[in-house]
Amino acid sequence: MTSASEASMSSPRAKRVDAFRNEQKLLEAAASVFVASGVDAPVRAVAAAAGVGVGTIYRHFPTRAELVVAVYRHQVDACAEAGPRLMTSSASPEAALRAWLDLFVDFLVTKHGLAAALQDEKVGAALHRHFVDHLVPVCADLLAAAADHPPGGAGPTAYEVLRGIGNLCIGAGSDPQFDARRVVRAYVSGVLAEARRE
Amino acid sequence: MTSASEASMSSPRAKRVDAFRNEQKLLEAAASVFVASGVDAPVRAVAAAAGVGVGTIYRHFPTRAELVVAVYRHQVDACAEAGPRLMTSSASPEAALRAWLDLFVDFLVTKHGLAAALQDEKVGAALHRHFVDHLVPVCADLLAAAADHPPGGAGPTAYEVLRGIGNLCIGAGSDPQFDARRVVRAYVSGVLAEARRE
DNA sequence: CAACTATACGGAACAGTGTTCCGGATATCA
DNA sequence: TGATATCCGGAACACTGTTCCGTATAGTTG
């Protein structure tokens, strides 16, 4: 921790501006490539789109997963912040929960392959952690309110629910016979039924 | 179709017995490797376990996915055949549906990575088709009986339900906080509620 | 303004996938 | 005992993510 305070206190030399610019270019290029080819686009494709070498990517983002996290960090945070807002603006706690989960589903489904990436042990570890840390608490509040059920009971866990929904969104959007929102709606009905039974 | 009948009618030379033996060795080796390392084990690992070259695998199974299908074909068929049996032996149609789906979940969860493989567009295409063809009709019957609902209504589709459950099983077994059977139970409750609402 | 150095860059190289290919071995038949 | 259709082994290819290091440059210092 000595080194940490040293690093943040006395900066022998600030980060070079070209490095900062490149990091920005990388984030924009990655976002663009991800919408065009899915989040499992090759690292080289992102590098090419940004006009940099692959080495530059790995300097700024030690692993492919961390680039993905960086690209979607803002949207995850926005989703988390929408929770409390919906809680007060909705007609009922259940409506708030369902509206928020719709947000979550739409987010996952529109980013092709994001839900799948969340599973892949290697790629998903970093993603998973960030999603869990930011979204689970919000979901827990909404769920407790909707189920009229003190958190900590034996009903479905907020983690369980988010993870389940994440799973349900995998591959949706590339299968017309499988409508993620429909399926999630059914799942949430079951979750609420079980939670209220306690 | 002329060539097909030719091939099945006049066999200028039967399949060589060493080829047949190798196919068998391959299936056994693959099954063994899959339980040890998951269904996403490298093709080379299966080849090594069987004591053959990779070329031999690709002669018998044109693609990695078809090897996986071949390994699990029997178990899928067994699961499909268990449907009608449970239908008559269970206390209620809903009990039959739930028991059968438990079979399905256990099957997916015990084969590490099988559920995930079902998603991967490339790997999963062959798997997906086989699962769908054999399991969806059975599920449709059980579902219709449990929901007391003539097939063809606007409720959840049998395909949708199986696909949803398949998704829910992804990564279960490597995450103690996520119990696939619990989650699936909740989902099925929601499905039945929606189906009966029609 | 002119070195000088810490920092950042590019892209070749490495390791691990699935898949293809073909020269050589071999089972089967005449 | 050949003849040959069939099959086999494993090198080679295309494509991943990731690492490495010589080179270029931004920022500092004299």
Side-chain angles (χ1 to χ4, degrees):
Chain A
M1 51 179 81
T2 302
S3 65
S5 31
E6 272 181 6
S8 59
M9 305 258 306
S10 67
S11 48
R13 204 173 279 201
K15 185 200 274 182
R16 278 166 52 164
V17 302
D18 58 341
F20 181 77
R21 261 206 322 256
N22 270 332
E23 191 173 322
Q24 223 60 18
K25 271 198 301 183
L26 238 11
L27 282 175
E28 287 167 27
S32 161
V33 169
F34 287 169
V35 311
S37 318
V39 300
D40 47 358
V43 173
R44 284 164 179 77
V46 175
V52 304
V54 287
T56 303
I57 288 192
Y58 282 91
R59 172 146 332 87
H60 294 294
F61 308 99
T63 200
R64 202 185 162 289
E66 309 205 29
L67 172 61
V68 178
V69 174
V71 167
Y72 292 120
R73 172 158 273 148
H74 302 86
Q75 301 191 45
V76 172
D77 295 349
C79 186
E81 285 159 17
R85 202 162 53 242
L86 284 169
M87 184 101 90
T88 66
S89 74
S90 297
S92 71
E94 177 171 339
L97 174 66
R98 297 195 106 109
W100 187 72
L101 290 178
D102 277 348
L103 243 46
F104 183 53
V105 169
D106 286 347
F107 169 58
L108 286 181
V109 170
T110 49
K111 320 304 175 213
H112 299 184
L114 217 207
L118 271 171
Q119 314 307 322
D120 187 335
E121 276 300 321
K122 292 197 55 182
V123 176
L127 270 183
H128 203 261
R129 182 158 31 250
H130 188 250
F131 271 68
V132 167
D133 290 351
H134 289 241
L135 263 23
V136 164
V138 178
C139 181
D141 285 349
L142 287 162
L143 188 58
D148 189 23
H149 166 287
T157 307
Y159 173 79
E160 202 174 72
V161 171
L162 278 187
R163 165 99 208 243
I165 292 177
N167 273 19
L168 285 176
C169 289
I170 296 175
S174 63
D175 182 347
Q177 294 188 259
F178 187 74
D179 178 357
R181 270 175 94 140
R182 257 171 65 95
V183 176
V184 167
R185 197 176 53 212
Y187 172 51
V188 174
S189 295
V191 165
L192 287 175
E194 300 233 340
R196 287 169 180 149
R197 183 175 309 154
E198 300 291 320
Chain B
M1 57 179 77
T2 302
S3 66
S5 31
E6 271 181 6
S8 60
M9 303 259 307
S10 66
S11 48
R13 205 172 279 200
K15 185 200 275 183
R16 276 165 53 163
V17 301
D18 58 340
F20 181 76
R21 260 207 321 257
N22 270 333
E23 190 172 323
Q24 221 61 17
K25 272 199 298 183
L26 238 12
L27 282 175
E28 287 167 25
S32 160
V33 169
F34 287 169
V35 310
S37 317
V39 301
D40 47 358
V43 173
R44 285 165 179 77
V46 175
V52 305
V54 288
T56 303
I57 289 192
Y58 281 91
R59 175 173 337 281
H60 294 295
F61 308 99
T63 200
R64 202 185 162 289
E66 309 205 30
L67 171 62
V68 178
V69 174
V71 167
Y72 292 120
R73 173 158 273 147
H74 302 85
Q75 301 190 44
V76 172
D77 295 349
C79 187
E81 286 159 16
R85 202 163 53 241
L86 285 169
M87 184 101 89
T88 67
S89 74
S90 298
S92 71
E94 176 171 340
L97 174 67
R98 297 194 106 110
W100 186 71
L101 291 178
D102 276 348
L103 242 46
F104 184 54
V105 169
D106 286 348
F107 169 58
L108 286 182
V109 170
T110 48
K111 320 304 174 210
H112 299 183
L114 216 207
L118 272 170
Q119 314 306 323
D120 187 333
E121 275 300 320
K122 292 198 55 184
V123 176
L127 270 183
H128 203 262
R129 182 157 33 250
H130 188 250
F131 271 67
V132 166
D133 289 350
H134 289 241
L135 263 23
V136 165
V138 178
C139 181
D141 285 350
L142 286 162
L143 188 58
D148 189 23
H149 165 288
T157 306
Y159 172 79
E160 203 173 71
V161 171
L162 277 188
R163 164 101 206 240
I165 292 178
N167 273 18
L168 286 176
C169 289
I170 296 174
S174 63
D175 183 346
Q177 294 186 259
F178 188 74
D179 178 358
R181 269 175 95 141
R182 256 171 66 94
V183 177
V184 168
R185 196 177 52 212
Y187 172 51
V188 174
S189 296
V191 165
L192 287 175
E194 300 233 340
R196 287 168 181 151
R197 183 175 308 153
E198 299 293 321

